[in-house]
Amino acid sequence: MSPRPLPRPAPPSFSGRLHDPRTATAVGRLLGAAVAVCFLTGVVSHYLQQPPGWLADRLPGRPVWGYRLSQGLHVASGLAAIPLLLAKLWAVYPRLFVWPPVRSARHALERLSVAVLVATAVFQLFTGLLNIVEWYPWPFSFVPVHFAVAWVLAGSVLLHVAVKAPDIRAHWSRRSAGTLALPDEDAADRRSLLLAVGAAAGAVTVTTVGQAFTPLRSLDLLAPRHPDVGPQGVPVNRTAAAARVTGASLRGWRLEVLGPRPYELSLPRLASLPQTEATLPIACVEGWSVSARWGGVRIRDLLERAGAPAGAAVRVVSLEARGAYRVMEMGGEYAGDPLTLLALRLNGQVLSADHGFPARIIAPNRPGVLQTKWVTRLEVL
């Protein structure tokens, strides 16, 4: 008796007729644009946050709003890509369940590339979503893994586009290369689908981008931060309590500046030095940003007093007991910038404890995690 053939598994079924190459291509155009913006701005963000040694002294402080723009675009494009990715998967899902799953070596490689593409896209977008709400239900460090997988995603996208180039070219518009219009009885339904998907992506963008683009802050309904809600009108990610900076640890605080001519300053003595005020944005890696008026002493003046040579970099040490950014290094371009301050005041008031009292770093075009709070020591490098 011959063995009975294995039954073919039935793929999940959704109503609708638009699981076709043209729909997939139309959604893919939008998704590709969002992923490209997200990837490029993510690379900028990473190298501003963790520059390699050869780049550390060359990072520019201008424009002062550069990081605010790039990180705002990064988070906004990533959020907009989520509904676009779901629509793309809906359009192509029958092809994910073809039977037999592998027909040849070439088909196996194509299936493997698609699996990598889908897995990395889902991983990047949804771990990024959890990052902006500061929830980390995984054992690995988010930043290096997110950056590494971004390159895998970029490579898998390029490979997928290369493999599917003939299909993409044929279905890019109603006319394939130089031929008459292709018949399309589902054009009206497809337009409705694309309008719905575009509206979903637009709604996500409009209700979150206000955390960085403050003219739309009144529509900031879904973002985890509101740009004008927080102590002294500026949001806070890490509080003094979370950093274990207490009144006892601040008692007798003095700023230590180490260099060829090391010295120490008490807070009253620091406040008596020539003061500078600057309006600068503080922009967080989670996507929120806001401009504020900061007042304090220029870092370059403090370093010159310690005998630092021109263009010297500086290491900044916080009172924070522990944390990934307790110690921060700042290249010569930032340290010598006249707008880089050891800030003592925010919006005309003495810094609150959650904003880094008694002193914090504020520098132009720099990620918020590197605007070190509760500064206790500067070291000329």
Side-chain angles (χ1 to χ4, degrees), residues 46 49-50 123-124 127 131 136 138-152 324-325:
H46 184 83
Q49 186 177 343
Q50 297 186 356
F123 177 87
Q124 286 296 91
T127 56
N131 176 64
Y136 306 102
W138 47 72
F140 54 82
S141 177
F142 171 77
V143 172
V145 172
H146 192 69
F147 183 66
V149 176
W151 288 98
V152 179
Y325 298 98

Side-chain angles (χ1 to χ4, degrees), residues 227-262:
D228 51 1
V229 176
Q232 298 173 276
V234 176
V236 167
N237 274 7
R238 188 165 175 82
T239 64
R244 299 185 181 181
V245 176
T246 64
S249 62
L250 292 173
R251 194 173 297 119
W253 176 91
R254 297 178 72 83
L255 175 69
E256 186 179 12
V257 185
L258 302 182
R261 298 192 298 271

Side-chain angles (χ1 to χ4, degrees), residues 25 64-65 89 95 129 168 174 194 281 285 302 306 314 372 374:
T25 301
V64 297
W65 41 262
L89 293 176
R95 300 180 66 83
L129 176 63
I168 294 172
R174 287 188 60 83
L194 294 177
V285 296
L302 295 170
V314 62
T372 307
W374 312 292

Side-chain angles (χ1 to χ4, degrees), residues 91-174:
V92 303
Y93 93 90
R95 300 180 66 83
L96 302 178
F97 296 92
V98 294
W99 194 262
V102 175
R103 295 192 294 267
S104 65
R106 179 178 179 181
H107 186 238
L109 290 175
E110 180 183 342
R111 299 277 287 171
L112 179 61
S113 69
V114 170
V116 172
L117 173 60
V118 172
T120 53
V122 171
F123 177 87
Q124 286 296 91
L125 294 180
F126 286 94
T127 56
L129 176 63
L130 295 181
N131 176 64
I132 68 172
V133 297
E134 297 184 282
W135 181 36
Y136 306 102
W138 47 72
F140 54 82
S141 177
F142 171 77
V143 172
V145 172
H146 192 69
F147 183 66
V149 176
W151 288 98
V152 179
L153 173 59
S156 62
V157 168
L158 293 176
L159 177 60
H160 182 69
V161 170
V163 170
K164 294 293 185 181
D167 289 339
I168 294 172
R169 186 164 51 247
H171 298 285
W172 186 260
S173 67
R174 287 188 60 83

Side-chain angles (χ1 to χ4, degrees), residues 2-316:
S2 60
R4 299 177 61 182
L6 293 176
R8 175 180 176 179
S13 177
F14 299 99
S15 60
R17 305 182 307 278
L18 299 179
H19 306 291
D20 63 347
R22 180 166 293 169
T23 303
T25 301
V27 176
R29 286 199 298 261
L30 301 175
L31 178 59
V35 168
V37 171
C38 195
F39 173 75
L40 293 174
T41 53
V43 171
V44 170
S45 174
H46 184 83
Y47 284 122
L48 284 174
Q49 186 177 343
Q50 297 186 356
W54 61 269
L55 185 60
D57 285 330
R58 295 177 174 85
L59 291 176
R62 300 294 184 278
V64 297
W65 41 262
Y67 184 77
R68 182 182 193 180
L69 174 64
S70 65
Q71 191 63 11
L73 285 174
H74 179 67
V75 173
S77 58
L79 290 173
I82 292 176
L84 295 173
L85 175 62
L86 296 176
K88 174 75 170 180
L89 293 176
W90 180 89
V92 303
Y93 93 90
R95 300 180 66 83
L96 302 178
F97 296 92
V98 294
W99 194 262
V102 175
R103 295 192 294 267
S104 65
R106 179 178 179 181
H107 186 238
L109 290 175
E110 180 183 342
R111 299 277 287 171
L112 179 61
S113 69
V114 170
V116 172
L117 173 60
V118 172
T120 53
V122 171
F123 177 87
Q124 286 296 91
L125 294 180
F126 286 94
T127 56
L129 176 63
L130 295 181
N131 176 64
I132 68 172
V133 297
E134 297 184 282
W135 181 36
Y136 306 102
W138 47 72
F140 54 82
S141 177
F142 171 77
V143 172
V145 172
H146 192 69
F147 183 66
V149 176
W151 288 98
V152 179
L153 173 59
S156 62
V157 168
L158 293 176
L159 177 60
H160 182 69
V161 170
V163 170
K164 294 293 185 181
D167 289 339
I168 294 172
R169 186 164 51 247
H171 298 285
W172 186 260
S173 67
R174 287 188 60 83
R175 291 181 179 273
S176 58
T179 64
L180 297 177
L182 296 171
D184 191 355
E185 61 276 11
D186 294 328
D189 290 342
R190 184 173 295 106
R191 282 194 297 270
S192 298
L193 173 65
L194 294 177
L195 285 173
V197 172
V204 168
T205 302
V206 168
T207 56
T208 56
V209 75
Q211 66 176 346
F213 185 58
T214 50
L216 293 181
R217 62 181 176 271
S218 61
L219 302 176
D220 184 24
L221 304 176
L222 299 181
R225 293 287 188 277
H226 298 279
D228 51 1
V229 176
Q232 298 173 276
V234 176
V236 167
N237 274 7
R238 188 165 175 82
T239 64
R244 299 185 181 181
V245 176
T246 64
S249 62
L250 292 173
R251 194 173 297 119
W253 176 91
R254 297 178 72 83
L255 175 69
E256 186 179 12
V257 185
L258 302 182
R261 298 192 298 271
Y263 63 92
E264 291 186 357
L265 293 172
S266 65
L267 183 56
R269 181 73 183 101
L270 183 63
S272 70
L273 296 179
Q275 304 288 299
T276 299
E277 288 200 344
T279 299
L280 293 173
I282 184 164
C284 189
V285 296
E286 283 82 15
W288 64 264
S289 61
V290 62
S291 287
R293 189 72 179 169
W294 306 88
V297 182
R298 294 188 299 186
I299 291 293
R300 74 179 189 184
D301 293 343
L302 295 170
L303 299 185
E304 286 175 4
R305 179 172 177 168
V314 62
R315 179 180 293 119
V316 182

Side-chain angles (χ1 to χ4, degrees), residues 331-357:
E333 283 287 332
Y334 283 120
D337 194 297
L339 295 181
T340 298
L341 306 180
L342 184 68
L344 309 177
R345 297 178 306 282
L346 169 57
N347 289 332
Q349 301 175 340
V350 173
L351 289 173
S352 68
D354 288 342
H355 278 303
F357 176 85

